[in-house]
Amino acid sequence: MSTRLSKGGRLIDRAHAIEISFNGKRLRGYRGDTLSAALLANDQMLVGRSFKYHRPRGIVASGAEEPNALVNLGAGARAEPNQRTTTTEAFDGLVAASQNHWPSLDYDIGAVNNLAARFLPAGFYYKTFIHPRPAWKHLFEPIIRRSAGLGKAPAEPDADRYEQVYAHCDLLVAGGGIAGLQAALIAGAAGARVMLLEQTAHWGGRAPVDGDVIDGKPAEEWITATLDALGKMENVTLKTRCMVAGVYDHGYVLAEERVADHTPGDGRPRKRLWRIRATRVLSATGALERPLAFAGNDIPGVMLASAVRDYVGNWAVSPGDRTVVVTNNDDAYRTAIALKEAGLEVPVIVDARAQANGALPQKARAMGIRVEAGRAIVKVKGGKRVTGVALGLMAGEGAVLEEIACDAVAMSGGWSPVVHLWSHCGGKLTWDRARAMFRPDAARPPLTQDGSALVIAAGAANGALTGAEALADAAEAGVAAVKSLDLKAKTTPIGKAEAVEEAMIEPVWMMPQGAKASLRMKMWLDFQNDVKVSDVQLAAREGYQSVEHTKRYTTLGMATDQGKLSNINGLAILADALNEDIPAVGTTTFRPPYTPVTIGALVGEARGEIFQPLRRTPMQGWHEAQGAYLEPVGLWRRPYCYPRAGETHEQAVNREILNTRANVGLLDASTLGKIIVRGPDAGRFLDMLYTNVMSSLPVGKCRYGLMCNEQGFLSDDGVVVRLAEDTWLCHTTSGGADRIHGWMEDWLQCEWWDWKVYTANVTEQYAQIAVAGPKARLVLEKLGGMDVSKETMPFMTFAEGELAGIPARVHRISFSGELSYEIAVPASHGLALWEKLVAAGAEFGVMPYGTEAMHIMRAEKGFIMIGDETDGTVIPQDLGLDWAISKKKADFLGKRGQERTYLASPDRWKLVGFETLDGSVIPDGAYVLDAGTNDYGFRKAQGRVTSTYHSPTLQKGIAMGLLRHGPQRMGEVVEFNTMAGGTVAARVVNPVFLDPNGEKQNG
Amino acid sequence: MKRYSVFAIAREALRYHTGWERAWRSPDPKPAYDAIIIGAGGHGLATAYYLGKNHGITNVAILEKGWLGGGNSGRNTTIIRSNYLQDSSSAIFEKARSLYETMSQDLNYNVMFSPRGLLMLAQTHHEARGYKRTVHANRLQGVATEWISPQEVKKLVPIINIDGPRYPVLGAQYQARGGTARHDAVNWGYARACSDMGMDVIQNCEVTAIRSENGMVTGVETTRGAISCKKLGIVVAGHSGVLAEMAGFRLPIESMALQALVSEPIKPCIDVVVMANTVHGYISQSDKGELVIGGGTDGFNNYTQRGSFQHIEETLRALIETFPIISRVKMLRQWGGIVDMTGDRSPIISKTPLGNCFINCGWGTGGFKAIPGSGWAMAELVAKGEPGPLAAEFDMWRFKEGRFIDESVAAGVAH
C-alpha cells in the first residue's frame, strides 16, 4: 500500500496537519503536500477513470505531465473540472471528487467499454454507426457525448476574480531549476532586466531530489545561495507558481500565476495573467520522463520512476511497500536507491539493456538490490491496483519466466526535453540518437523580427540532462543571452555539479521487443485518451502515416496533458511500424498553452458591464437617472427611449415623436463622430474622400456628404462643417467614427503620405445636443447669448458663441425634419447645457427623445440611415442621392468602382417608399415577391424593405425600401412576404412622407 | 474497397485488427492524368470525388504538398450551416449542407454529421433586423430557418445568459438542421472514396511550376517530378495567390490568420452551435466534450498559421459574458490557420486566364461547411469547362464588373 513515511519529506511541514476531502472521505495531510501526495499518503491509489474505456487509473507523475489524476476541485461557484492533483497544492478544507464514472469511482458502469475494448480500437467510430442515417443524431451521438467528456461543467458563475498584468523585460527565464537560476544569475549580474518564472511553488527543480552535489555541497545550499544573490538584484523579478504558457511572435510571452488557488476566498485574485514583452526568452523548462510501454502499464501503482523518487524525497510518501523498477537507462536506479534508503523493498530492477554495469547499477547491487538485465516486464498483474509483474526476456515475445509480487512499479523510458516554448514560435528540433530524444536545434531557433534567435534553450530543456551538464549548459546560455542583449557579461560564479557517470540509454519503445498482438493491445501510450501501441500500429497499417494523421486518428496526445508523456513514444512506435527513422516521422506541432490556462484568467477583469470598453456621454448619468432604456451602439449605450411609469417602449417612442413634432425634443447626439481635418491639402483630401465637393464649402457653412469605399459602396454619411480656411469638421455616424478615422489615416499614411493634412478624432471632446421641433428656437432664445434667428442662422449654417454662458457651436442641421439646432459644447459643459435646456424648455413642453424616435422621424422625412438603407452592397445612386455625387471631380474614392457595368446597370434596386394598403407595418427585412423562380429554383424577389415603422405622426405603417426600377413604379401595388408565411400588399410611394418641401426644417 | 460496418469491426477484432486495409493507397505519381487537382484538403478531395462520381473522370491525381487535410479543412471549428442571405451563397451552402446529411452513407465513412441546430444571436436591434431579413430571404430560397425569441434561445441553451448588462439577447436566427461534422473524417472519407475509384492521392508532393503551351495548361512540375495533365484544378486556399502566380495570373485575395481554440473536455453542457457576431465569438461542444471556440481574423496579412493573442482574449471575454459558467474551464490548445479572403467575402470558383486551368478559392473563414457543394460545383466546372448554375456567379471577373456577392451584410465577422 502507499503510505506516509515516518521521516523525511523536504517540502512538507509536519507541524501543520491539514484535512482534505476526497469523494466525501476525510484524509489527512501536511502543509506542503500536493493533492497527489496527500492522496497517496492515504493509500488512495485509484483516483479516476480513463476517457474511453473507463479503466481504473492512478497517479502516474508528480508534475504538469500527469495524464490520469484529474479531479473536480471545489464546489458550487468555486467548482473546477479537470484539475491535476499533481500540481494542486493541498490546503486545509480542500474538497475534491473524482470524475468520469457512474455510479462511483470503484464501480463504474462505463467500464463495460473496457470489456469491449477489443471491438473499440482507434477510429472505430469512423467505421460504424453509419446506418440507419437518423441513428447518429438521435441514438449514437447522445450516448457517445454522455460517456465522453471528463469533469462536469461548473453549474454556477465563477466566484473568483482574475487579474492581468503587463510586464517588460530583457530576458525572460522560464523555469526555476538549477539551469534557470544559473542563467538568471549571469544575466542579472550583467544588468539585464530579468524575469525568472517557476511553475511550481519551489525553486531548484529536480536537483535536490536527484541528490545533485554542487560546489561540493548538497544542491539545496547552492539553490538557497543563488536565490539569495538574485533576490538582492533590483533588476531581477522572481516568481513562483507562475507557468509560462506560450511564446508568441515579437517576444510576447503569456504566463499564468496561481495567486490564491491554495488559499481560496482570501480576497486576492485567484490567478494573474502575465502578458510580457521580452527581448529574449531563455527556456530552462527541464525534461520529462517517458513511460515505458508494457502490458498493463496503466494499472494504478505503475508510476514514473522520477515521480516515485519525488514522492519519497519531497513528501515522504511511498507509493508502495514493494516497488519493481523497470528501465532502459541508469537514471531510474536513483529511484531504487532512494526507495531502499527509505527502508522500502525493491524486489528487482528490470533493465531492458543487455548490460547494466554503470556506477548507479553497481551501487544498487551493492545495496543488495537484484538487477535483471536484458529482461522486460511482460505484463503487470492487478486491476484497481498493481499486485505483481510477470518478467520475460526483453528480446522475446512475452513468454513469462518469473512472476514477482509487488504493489508498485517505477518505470523509466528515458527523458525528453520540454521543448514547447522553443517550438511555439517556430523553433525546430533535432533528434539526438545517442540520447534518444528530440532537443532544440540551435541552428534553427525561433526568430525575432530582426532575424536573431528569440529563444535560447538551457539545461535539461536543451538536452543537458544531468546536473553537471545542465549547469555548464546554462552558464553558456546565460552568457549567450547577455551577449544577444548587447550587454557585457560580468564575472559570475558558475555552479559546478559533481558528475555521476551514467551508461548509455537504450531506446526501448515497447517491451518485450517481439510482443504479440494480445500484449500490444494492453500497452498504453496515451493514458487519458486510451491510446495503445496497437492503435498506433493500426493507424499506420491503414495509411494514417503522417504523424498528424496518426494523432488525429488515434487521438494520441490530444488529451488534457497534450501528449507530454505519450507523443515521443507514440511517434517512435509509428516510425517502427512504418520502418522509418524517428526524425523522418517528425513531431506534431507544439501549440500553446504549455498546460491548460483558466479561461477566467484570460479574460481578467473585463467582465460584466466593462467586458468591453464602455463609452459614456457627459449626459449618460442623467439618462440613467431618468430610467432610459439603453441600446448598444458601438461601445456606447444610447437611450432608445425614456419610458415613463406604466408606459411600454412603443408608447414612449410615440410620445417622444409626437411631442417633438408638436413642441420640442432633446436628443443626446454626443456619440456622433466628429473628426477635425486640417491642413493646406485638407480640401483636396476631403474631395477625394467624399463623393461631393467639400473644398468649395464656404467658411461658416454646412454640407451633407457621402463617403464610399473603393468599390463604390456607400460606407458613411454626415454633415461637414467648414470651421476655417484650412479646417473642416466631419460628422460621421455614431458607429462609424473610429472606422472612418482609421480610413482617413489609412489613405493619408499609406497612399497620400505627402499631402499636408492632419486629422483628429474629437468625438469625445464635444458633447452634442439636438434641439428639434417647432419651438426649438424659442428654447434657445430663452437660453440667450446668441442670435439664432432664421435670418442670421439659416438652415445649413453654423455660428460660434456663448449660449447661457457656455461656449458653443450651434449648427442649423436636421435629421428629424424639424426646425433643429445641433449644439456642440466642450464635453465638460455637456451636462450643464443639457440641464439648462431641460429647464428652459419646460414651458415649451420639452422632452428628451431616444434613438428609436430619431430613427422613425428620419424615416418619416425619407432620410436614409447608414446600416438600414445601406448594407455594403448599396451605392448612392441606388438611394436617389445622385445629387450628392460630383460630376465635375476628376476622381474620388468609389468613382471608378461605380462605373463598373453591374453598378451602372439600370436594373438595380432603387429607393422608394412603401405604404401598406391596410395601414399595417411591413415586417422587418421582408422581400418584395416577384413572379417565378431563378436558376437555383428559388422564388424570385424584386426588392426589399430597408426601414419599416409605425409612424405616430401619420398614424399608419410607413417604410423605405429598394425596388427594381422603383422610382418609375410609383402607385404600383407590390407584395411582401411575412414571417408567418403569408404576404402583405403595399403601394409604392415617394419615400418622403412628411414635409416634402422642407418648410419645417428650413423654417 | 472493403466496406466499413459493425460486422467488419467484429470480424477484425477476432484477429486483432490485422486485416484492415489502407484507407487510401499511397502511389507514386504517374506521368500523366486526365485531371490534376492541386490541394488535398476538403475542397480538393471533394472536387476529385465528384469528378469521378458525377462525371466519370477517374484518371485523376490529387497532389498535396504536406499531409492530406492538413490545411484549413483540418483546423476549423467544423460549423455547418446554410442560412445565407444572397441567393448564390444559399444555393451552394445549402447544396453542401444537404450533401452532408448523407455523406456518411455516401462515403461509407462516418463523418459524424450532427445537425444539432445552430443559433446566431441578435444582440442589437440592428442585428435583429438583419437576421429577420435573412430569415425572409431563406424562406424564398427554401432554406429552413426561423427567428426565435430570447426565451426559446434559453430553452435550447440553458447555460446562456440572455440578460447580459451590455448586449442582452434580443432573439436569434435558428437553423435546426445546421450543426457540425468531424472535419478529419470528411477529408479521410473523401480520400478513401477517391482512392477507391482509382484516383491517386499523392502526399508530400509540392507543385513548383505550372506548364502551359499556347495559353493552355499542359501539366505541373512537382517535388516528385513533372506530371502532365489535360485539365488542372487549383484548390489550395491560403496559398492560392502563390499558385495563381505560377499559372500567370493574379487573384483578388488577401491571406490572413484566423484563430480557434478548444477547452479541456467536460461533460455535455451545450448541445447546439451558438454564434454571437456582435461580440465576435462562436462556440460549440465536440462529441469529445471540448468547447470549440472561434474568434476573429487579424487585421493584417500573413502566412504564419499563428495569430495575435488579443483576438483570443476578446473572444473569450465575449463568451464568458454569454456563458458565465465557462470561467473556470481551461483553455487546452489554440491554433491558427491561413484564410484566403476576397473583397466580397465570397468564394471564387472560376475559369482562369490560362486555358483548362480552373481555380476554387476564397472561402475565407467559412469554407468547411461548403466542402461537398464546392466540390460538386468545381467538378462540374472542371469536367465541362463551363460552370453549372452553382458556380456561375462565383467567377473571378465579378470583381471587375462589381457583381459582388456580399455576405458580410449578414455576418460581419468570421462565418
Side-chain angles (χ1 to χ4, degrees), chain A residues 17 35 147 232 471 477 485 508 536 710 736 945:
Chain A
L35 180 52
S147 75
K232 287 185 182 128
L471 279 177
L485 293 167
V508 169
V536 171
E710 304 106 303
V945 73

Side-chain angles (χ1 to χ4, degrees), chain A residues 514-526:
Chain A
K516 43 191 198 224
S518 58
L519 291 175
R520 296 198 306 268
M521 286 184 75
K522 297 283 180 197
M523 295 179 184
W524 264 259
L525 293 170
D526 187 316

Side-chain angles (χ1 to χ4, degrees), chain A residues 355-641:
Chain A
Q355 294 188 335
N357 297 320
L360 287 162
Q362 297 294 11
K363 184 173 175 190
R365 283 198 185 92
M367 291 173 81
I369 304 174
R370 176 182 164 202
V371 176
E372 288 287 348
R375 292 286 193 273
I377 290 184
V378 173
K379 194 176 183 180
V380 179
K381 312 192 74 136
K384 288 176 193 162
R385 64 181 311 153
V386 172
T387 57
V389 293
L391 302 189
L393 288 176
M394 179 60 203
E397 290 181 3
V400 176
L401 298 177
E402 181 183 5
E403 289 195 2
I404 294 175
C406 63
D407 54 3
V409 176
M411 61 182 166
S412 176
W415 291 79
S416 294
V418 174
V419 295
H420 296 66
L421 302 184
W422 175 266
S423 304
H424 282 168
C425 224
K428 300 288 187 281
L429 305 176
T430 182
W431 178 250
D432 185 330
R433 198 168 300 277
R435 296 197 155 191
M437 65 185 178
F438 277 108
R439 60 175 166 77
D441 182 351
R444 295 180 296 164
L447 302 178
T448 63
Q449 52 275 29
D450 65 9
S452 58
L454 171 62
V455 181
I456 301 164
N462 197 28
L465 293 179
T466 67
E469 288 171 348
L471 279 177
D473 186 61
E476 225 171 276
V479 172
V482 167
K483 252 189 215 156
S484 75
L485 293 167
D486 289 331
L487 295 170
K488 263 209 143 91
K490 301 257 165 60
T491 316
T492 315
I494 310 290
K496 285 232 162 18
E498 255 171 45
V500 180
E501 180 242 338
E502 288 187 32
M504 291 287 260
I505 182 177
E506 182 155 321
V508 169
W509 308 114
M510 71 177 182
M511 64 171 35
Q513 216 164 34
K516 43 191 198 224
S518 58
L519 291 175
R520 296 198 306 268
M521 286 184 75
K522 297 283 180 197
M523 295 179 184
W524 264 259
L525 293 170
D526 187 316
F527 295 102
Q528 190 183 122
N529 271 359
D530 278 326
V531 181
K532 301 159 297 177
V533 167
S534 56
D535 293 316
V536 171
Q537 290 170 333
L538 174 64
R541 190 177 312 132
E542 292 193 275
Y544 299 93
Q545 298 175 340
S546 153
V547 64
E548 285 284 353
H549 285 155
T550 307
K551 163 188 146 186
R552 288 153 184 256
Y553 190 63
T554 62
T555 72
L556 175 84
M558 294 177 79
T560 63
D561 55 309
Q562 290 284 284
K564 290 188 181 70
L565 294 186
S566 61
N567 275 349
I568 304 298
N569 287 352
L571 72 93
I573 297 286
L574 177 66
D576 181 59
L578 298 174
N579 215 1
E580 293 217 46
D581 231 11
I582 287 174
V585 170
T587 63
T588 54
T589 313
F590 292 87
R591 297 282 187 188
Y594 175 60
T595 62
V597 173
T598 301
I599 288 176
L602 293 169
V603 165
E605 286 137 313
R607 286 166 187 254
E609 199 179 38
I610 53 158
F611 92 92
Q612 284 182 343
L614 177 62
R615 301 178 81 176
R616 296 169 63 84
T617 75
M619 294 80 102
Q620 196 80 25
W622 191 93
H623 305 318
E624 286 164 9
Q626 291 292 310
Y629 165 62
L630 304 172
E631 70 160 336
V633 177
L635 296 173
W636 304 96
R637 291 173 58 69
R638 301 189 71 183
Y640 175 94
C641 62

Side-chain angles (χ1 to χ4, degrees), chain B residues 81 83-85 120 127 130-131 134 173 275 277-278 280 344-345 365 406-415:
Chain B
R81 64 183 181 90
N83 52 346
Y84 281 74
L85 182 66
M120 295 175 94
E127 201 174 18
Y131 286 146
T134 306
Q173 188 202 14
M275 308 182 72
N277 286 340
T278 288
H280 296 269
D344 62 2
R345 301 297 184 255
T365 58
D406 200 328
E407 283 297 336
S408 57
V409 180
V413 294
H415 59 96

Side-chain angles (χ1 to χ4, degrees), chain A residues 51 78-83 100 118-119 121 124-131 133 136-137 141 145-151 154 158 160 248-249 254 270 275 424-425 517-518 521 529 538 541-542 544-546 548-549 552-553 558 560 562 591-593 596-600 602-603 606-609 611-614 629 631-632 634-635 637 711 713 867-868 871 873 900-903 924-927 929 934 936 938-939 944 977 979, chain B residues 4-6 9-10 13-14 16-18 20-24 67-68 74-75 85 87-88 91 101-102 104-105 108-110 112-116 123-126 129 132-133 135-137 139-141 147 165-167 182 184-185 188 203 264-271 279 285-288 290 305-306 309 313 316-318 320-321 324-336 389 393 399-404 406 409:
Chain A
F51 194 86
R78 290 209 158 88
E80 177 174 13
N82 305 335
Q83 188 68 7
N100 204 31
R118 197 161 166 182
F119 297 93
F124 76 96
Y125 30 74
Y126 299 124
K127 296 172 179 160
T128 183
F129 306 136
I130 295 172
H131 297 281
R133 187 158 72 85
W136 175 254
K137 183 185 177 201
E141 190 183 33
R145 279 174 84 78
R146 268 198 292 278
S147 75
L150 287 169
D158 197 342
D160 280 309
Y248 300 83
D249 289 299
L254 206 66
R270 179 178 170 231
R275 303 193 284 188
H424 282 168
C425 224
S518 58
M521 286 184 75
N529 271 359
L538 174 64
R541 190 177 312 132
E542 292 193 275
Y544 299 93
Q545 298 175 340
S546 153
E548 285 284 353
H549 285 155
R552 288 153 184 256
Y553 190 63
M558 294 177 79
T560 63
Q562 290 284 284
R591 297 282 187 188
V597 173
T598 301
I599 288 176
L602 293 169
V603 165
R607 286 166 187 254
E609 199 179 38
F611 92 92
Q612 284 182 343
L614 177 62
Y629 165 62
E631 70 160 336
L635 296 173
R637 291 173 58 69
Q711 306 294 354
F713 297 117
D868 284 346
D871 63 1
T873 68
R900 289 177 294 181
T901 47
Y902 196 72
L903 273 65
D924 271 325
Y927 278 78
L929 301 174
N934 62 16
Y936 306 120
F938 297 167
R939 176 71 190 262
R944 61 184 180 88
N977 61 350
M979 284 277 182
Chain B
Y4 291 158
S5 70
V6 66
I9 290 180
L14 299 179
Y16 295 104
H17 301 279
T18 51
W20 293 110
E21 59 186 19
R22 299 179 64 95
W24 53 81
W67 41 283
L68 73 86
R75 57 179 75 228
L85 182 66
D87 284 356
S88 316
E101 293 260 9
T102 58
S104 295
Q105 293 74 36
N108 179 235
Y109 201 104
N110 188 358
M112 303 178 203
F113 174 61
S114 170
R116 57 182 66 171
Q123 292 175 287
T124 66
H125 292 284
H126 179 254
R129 286 194 292 271
K132 287 176 182 171
R133 176 182 167 195
V135 172
H136 278 116
R139 288 286 167 80
L140 301 182
Q141 296 154 350
W147 170 259
R166 287 294 290 277
Y167 300 101
R182 175 89 183 96
D184 289 325
W188 299 339
Q203 301 182 77
E264 294 184 335
I266 50 178
K267 291 290 176 192
C269 66
I270 177 165
D271 290 330
V279 292
Q285 189 174 16
S286 73
D287 289 343
K288 245 187 111 188
E290 296 162 335
Q305 297 194 337
R306 297 187 292 265
F309 195 77
E313 292 182 340
L316 291 174
R317 283 172 190 169
I320 286 198
E321 276 316 291
I325 66 157
I326 70 169
S327 175
R328 289 181 94 90
V329 175
K330 296 186 275 298
M331 173 175 88
L332 177 60
R333 185 170 69 248
Q334 58 154 134
W335 66 94
E393 295 292 321
F399 299 100
K400 225 168 211 170
E401 297 164 18
R403 187 167 34 81
F404 287 178
D406 200 328
V409 180

Side-chain angles (χ1 to χ4, degrees), chain B residues 1-4 21-23 106-108 189 192-193 195-196:
Chain B
M1 177 176 84
K2 287 187 192 165
R3 286 188 66 77
Y4 291 158
E21 59 186 19
R22 299 179 64 95
D106 294 343
L107 300 179
N108 179 235
R192 175 166 170 262
S195 178
D196 186 51

